[in-house]
């Protein structure tokens, strides 16, 4: 202790009867910063922009995240992965992500379970255990639940579960986590830009009390696709009922669409609409138009365009 600090402590003792010293000794848990990294680390990107990645091979291997970071010239601030229903919170995996000063983004998928049952509290034992593990983890976590619900391809989505039931389930999940003291969660409400049932997003809106960020998933499949066609309809509808920050929570550009040529269009749209950031789906798929090789690695022109896009919006 320095002489100056010792003198200050003695003065405080004299004035307050040791209350200041007791307060200093009882150091509270460190506050969580905006969702980017551990409290002691600066975010990899500028504070107003989040670069995320869904990296092929992670989990379990961290190599894919490292390769993506090297390719684009900076570490991501978010790493996306998925968690099945009744799977425990992946503490070890989340800790690995946080050890690299990155925040885990987990999409919690309610597979083989009734959303009506979740809303009625029948899965509360599982949710409370998951929430308790998140609380004990302490570092920031972004959690989505039953994502892309406005599409028909998931069992919790359009045509399988009514919007009213979906909303009640979402609200119940958030309520259980908050009751368990899991205050380190940012809640990501995630819609699909490629839904075959546009104009229905408001029906799935649980209210800003239950949402931190809005996510939009959307991809460039063909040269005809542009930011205005892919994302703007969803952005426009979402802005009619909330001003919560919007993250492109899954996006990529396929080789069929002209990856390198279209990356500037993606970043220009992000900048124009003041979006929170993007999560690049850096996975190689080889199964037709909707499952292309989305990876940047191996495409020098695309990597150059991506780096320029990051620099353009001040994220590099």
């Amino acid at each position: 202790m320095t002489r100056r600090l010792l003198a200050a402590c003695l003065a405080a003792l004299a004035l307050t009867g040791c209350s200041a010293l007791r307060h200093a000794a009882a150091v509270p848990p460190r506050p969580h910063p905006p969702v980017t990294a551990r409290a002691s680390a600066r975010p990899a990107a500028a504070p107003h922009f989040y670069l995320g990645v869904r990296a092929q091979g992670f989990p379990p291997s961290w190599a894919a995240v490292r390769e993506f970071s090297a390719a684009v010239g900076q570490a991501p601030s978010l790493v996306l992965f998925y968690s099945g229903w009744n799977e425990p919170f992946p503490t070890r995996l989340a800790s690995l992500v946080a050890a690299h000063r990155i925040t885990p983004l987990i999409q919690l998928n309610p597979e083989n379970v009734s959303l009506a049952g979740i809303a009625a509290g029948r899965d509360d034992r599982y949710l409370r255990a998951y929430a308790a593990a998140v609380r004990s983890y302490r570092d920031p976590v972004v959690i989505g639940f039953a994502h892309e619900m406005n599409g028909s391809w998931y069992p919790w989505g359009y045509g399988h579960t009514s919007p009213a039931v979906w909303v009640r389930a979402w609200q119940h999940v958030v309520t259980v986590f908050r009751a368990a003291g899991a205050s380190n969660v940012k809640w990501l409400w995630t819609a699909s830009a490629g839904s075959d049932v546009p104009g229905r997003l408001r029906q799935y809106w649980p209210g800003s009390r239950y949402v931190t960020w809005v996510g939009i998933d959307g991809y460039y499949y063909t040269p005809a696709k542009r930011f205005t066609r892919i994302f703007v309809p969803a952005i426009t509808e979402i802005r009619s009922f909330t001003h919560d920050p919007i993250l492109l929570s899954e996006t990529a550009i396929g080789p069929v669409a002209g990856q390198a040529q279209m990356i500037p269009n993606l970043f220009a749209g992000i900048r124009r609409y003041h979006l929170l950031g993007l999560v690049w789906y850096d996975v190689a798929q080889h199964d037709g138009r909707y499952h292309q090789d989305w990876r940047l690695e191996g495409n020098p022109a695309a990597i150059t365009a991506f780096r320029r896009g990051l620099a353009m919006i001040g994220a590099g």
Side-chain angles (χ1 to χ4, degrees):
M1 181 180 290
T2 65
R3 292 181 179 178
R4 183 177 295 178
L5 180 58
L6 180 60
C9 288
L10 291 173
L13 284 169
L15 291 172
T16 66
C18 298
S19 64
L21 187 59
R22 286 197 303 269
H23 177 74
V27 179
R30 56 186 173 81
H32 290 291
V35 178
T36 51
R38 288 180 180 265
S40 60
R42 293 191 304 170
H48 62 280
F49 184 86
Y50 292 84
L51 171 63
V53 64
R54 164 62 172 157
Q56 184 166 345
F58 178 80
S61 172
W62 190 253
V65 180
R66 186 167 57 245
E67 290 170 8
F68 176 83
S69 302
V72 303
Q74 70 177 56
S77 43
L78 301 168
V79 167
L80 167 66
F81 53 96
Y82 306 90
S83 183
W85 200 251
N86 284 323
E87 293 179 5
F89 174 68
T91 302
R92 228 180 243 190
L93 193 61
S95 297
L96 171 62
V97 175
H100 289 83
R101 301 179 177 181
I102 302 171
T103 296
L105 192 170
I106 302 171
Q107 288 289 4
L108 187 57
N109 295 335
E111 301 154 330
N112 304 313
V113 65
S114 162
L115 260 66
I118 292 173
R122 292 202 289 268
D123 289 81
D124 279 7
R125 183 176 180 181
Y126 165 65
L127 289 172
R128 284 194 294 266
Y130 201 105
V134 170
R135 181 194 64 221
S136 298
Y137 170 68
R138 295 185 60 205
D139 279 287
V141 184
V142 180
I143 297 181
F145 168 75
H147 69 304
E148 298 183 3
M149 62 289 171
N150 58 317
S152 58
W153 44 86
Y154 288 127
W156 55 80
Y158 175 77
H160 305 282
T161 302
S162 74
V165 169
W166 191 95
V167 166
R168 289 200 300 273
W170 173 280
Q171 292 173 339
H172 186 78
V173 169
V174 174
T175 298
V176 170
F177 270 71
R178 287 175 175 168
S183 59
N184 51 324
V185 177
K186 287 189 180 293
W187 291 100
L188 180 71
W189 179 88
T190 310
S192 171
S195 170
D196 50 0
V197 284
R200 298 178 180 271
L201 291 179
R202 184 186 289 271
Q203 298 180 60
Y204 291 96
W205 183 241
S208 288
R209 286 179 52 208
Y210 298 94
V211 174
T212 313
W213 292 348
V214 169
I216 303 176
D217 293 353
Y219 293 78
Y220 288 67
Y221 299 112
T222 69
K225 293 289 187 180
R226 296 288 189 277
F227 192 94
T228 52
R229 291 188 61 185
I230 301 168
F231 295 110
V232 170
I235 292 171
T236 301
E237 185 181 356
I238 288 165
R239 284 290 172 249
S240 73
F241 55 81
T242 181
H243 291 286
D244 290 338
I246 296 176
L247 174 76
L248 299 188
S249 42
E250 266 189 42
T251 191
I253 300 169
V256 175
Q259 192 177 64
Q261 292 78 15
M262 295 308 300
I263 285 174
N265 177 262
L266 172 64
F267 279 98
I270 290 170
R271 184 178 185 181
R272 178 177 180 182
Y273 288 91
H274 309 288
L275 303 188
L276 193 63
L278 68 90
V279 178
W280 186 268
Y281 197 78
D282 202 53
V283 175
Q285 298 176 315
H286 303 280
D287 189 19
R289 175 181 176 182
Y290 299 110
H291 299 90
Q292 300 179 38
D293 184 350
W294 311 104
R295 297 191 75 202
L296 293 172
E297 295 87 337
N299 188 338
I303 290 171
T304 298
F306 200 92
R307 288 187 173 211
R308 285 174 178 167
L310 290 174
M312 177 185 71
I313 57 179

